[in-house]
Amino acid sequence: MLEFRTQGFNGYAVKYSPFFDSRLAVAASANFGLVGNGRLYILGLTTDGIVVEKWFDTQDSLYDLSWSEAHENQVVVAAGDGSIKLFDIGLDEFPVQSWQEHKREVFAVHWNLVGKDTFCSSSWDGCIKIWSPHRSDSLLTLPTHSCTYSAAYSPHSPSILSAVSSDSHLRIFDLRTPASVSNHLTLSIPIHAPAPTRPGLPPQSGIPPTEALTHDWNKYRDSVIAAAGVDRLIRTFDIRSPGQGPVAVLPGHDYAVRKVAWSPHLPDVLLSASYDMTCRVWTDGSALGVGAEDGPSNPMAMGGGRELGRMGRHTEFVVGVDWCLFGAEGWCASCGWDERVLVWDVRAIMGS
């Protein structure tokens, strides 16, 4: 396990470069993101450990980042003052582009993985915006009318994006549809809806809505999304059957789940980061026969999924986690409010 200290700054997001297996970016904030500056770290993984290649300071807290899918040196960041900034790590000090349209904190940015020419942002102001790095104004605004903590493009389509928000709904937008009164909204799935009743068990009662903080698209199954948040449960949904409730429910975390990320290597495996100071690796039970016998042991669990292991080396809230796209399957990075970035092998904790 490799470790780097973000001295004086609390980590909020960590992302591997899509171009280099040895480069990480970390978005961090002073004073736990409540007040003060932000810092974008560019880190290199070397035989001598993790080294700083560059950093950029910002006037306000940073909450998220996304690497450009078109330019290996560019990173976009989401800031607490409502701004979005694009940095080029080949240059010094200042961003190459800055946008200021959101009225509240920007909590998520995500690059278009297929089209590669746009990225999206979501904010506490109840809006998702779509941007081009070459334009000074946003291309499109999609209202959610709710504090939106996470927005992402589908890895399977350049025109489909999703979001989760404080009203406990997962929204799917298809930019190919007419805007009309729906503003490209094609699905709105209540995350808190009860799961289908299983044979031999009583029907589940409704669960009160709670804030959804994170979600991620499965990299192999183009209709499957995982979502999680304040109620500590990770749920997976198949957007082909939006009225059927969750396909799998994964209980286990002791506090809110802050980040989920599907494996880029295995279709049934995902990572989570939580305020309970752990990162956990799960199977959703979709792999043939995996975990099927464990379903009824926890009344909240369904779908045959289960926890495969956990990493508890952080000493404060863990809020960011990401998989390495390259090399042996299983390497990942995590960051948290303990001012630490950890790079570790998921396979080492499986079964722990």
Side-chain angles (χ1 to χ4, degrees):
M1 182 177 290
L2 301 176
E3 179 177 331
F4 176 80
R5 187 78 185 269
T6 56
Q7 186 74 40
F9 289 85
N10 309 103
Y12 261 89
V14 58
K15 298 287 173 64
Y16 274 93
S17 165
F19 296 96
F20 304 104
D21 62 356
S22 60
R23 180 171 286 168
L24 290 168
V26 178
S29 300
N31 304 307
F32 305 98
L34 299 176
V35 64
N37 303 104
R39 179 171 288 180
L40 170 65
Y41 290 91
I42 307 299
L43 305 178
L45 307 180
T46 73
T47 54
D48 298 321
I50 304 176
V51 299
V52 181
E53 296 182 354
K54 183 161 287 191
W55 74 73
F56 299 92
D57 286 330
T58 58
Q59 287 188 328
D60 213 303
S61 305
L62 296 184
Y63 294 137
D64 198 19
L65 67 95
S66 183
W67 285 94
S68 168
E69 293 288 330
H71 195 303
E72 64 189 29
N73 286 334
Q74 293 188 346
V75 185
V76 65
V77 296
D81 59 2
S83 68
I84 298 164
K85 301 180 190 301
L86 181 68
F87 288 96
D88 190 311
I89 65 176
L91 306 175
D92 293 326
E93 293 190 48
F94 302 111
V96 294
Q97 181 67 282
S98 183
W99 299 269
Q100 183 88 49
E101 290 187 21
H102 284 294
K103 302 294 189 279
R104 293 287 307 278
E105 292 87 338
V106 183
F107 223 61
V109 284
H110 192 263
W111 212 278
N112 190 325
L113 299 170
V114 180
K116 301 183 187 300
D117 56 348
T118 57
F119 64 92
C120 66
S121 63
S122 69
S123 167
W124 294 7
D125 65 6
C127 288
I128 300 166
K129 290 181 179 285
I130 296 175
W131 312 83
S132 165
H134 308 296
R135 295 273 296 271
S136 59
D137 301 312
S138 62
L139 304 175
L140 185 64
T141 299
L142 304 170
T144 64
H145 309 293
S146 181
C147 177
T148 306
Y149 291 109
S150 174
Y153 277 96
S154 165
H156 310 281
S157 168
S159 307
I160 297 175
L161 64 156
S162 55
V164 295
S165 50
S166 60
D167 65 357
S168 190
H169 278 73
L170 166 65
R171 292 176 172 85
I172 308 295
F173 299 88
D174 189 337
L175 304 184
R176 298 168 296 188
T177 61
S180 65
V181 293
S182 66
N183 291 295
H184 303 289
L185 180 68
T186 56
L187 281 178
S188 182
I189 301 172
I191 295 171
H192 55 280
T197 302
R198 289 176 293 177
L201 293 176
Q204 289 192 15
S205 58
I207 299 172
T210 58
E211 293 189 310
L213 303 177
T214 177
H215 77 299
D216 193 38
W217 289 81
N218 189 283
K219 308 306 186 288
Y220 293 89
R221 293 171 286 158
D222 61 6
S223 62
V224 174
I225 298 175
V230 171
D231 69 1
R232 304 170 293 169
L233 301 174
I234 301 171
R235 297 174 176 87
T236 67
F237 296 89
D238 191 326
I239 61 174
R240 296 172 299 182
S241 306
Q244 296 301 306
V247 177
V249 180
L250 304 170
H253 276 297
D254 300 318
Y255 291 103
V257 182
R258 189 59 175 73
K259 187 73 175 176
V260 292
W262 285 101
S263 168
H265 305 290
L266 301 169
D268 67 308
V269 172
L270 68 158
L271 261 178
S272 60
S274 168
Y275 289 161
D276 66 10
M277 300 186 286
T278 68
C279 294
R280 307 194 189 197
V281 59
W282 312 78
T283 174
D284 70 348
S286 60
L288 187 61
V290 173
E293 74 281 358
D294 295 337
S297 62
N298 186 319
M300 295 300 296
M302 67 160 290
R306 60 188 174 95
E307 181 183 327
L308 299 176
R310 69 183 68 176
M311 190 279 289
R313 295 281 295 274
H314 282 284
T315 56
E316 254 291 357
F317 294 168
V318 192
V319 293
V321 70
D322 192 39
W323 295 87
C324 181
L325 299 172
F326 304 98
E329 61 193 50
W331 282 96
C332 70
S334 57
C335 69
W337 283 13
D338 56 1
E339 302 181 0
R340 294 158 74 214
V341 179
L342 300 180
V343 175
W344 45 286
D345 188 349
V346 167
R347 294 166 298 180
I349 65 159
M350 286 196 178
S352 63

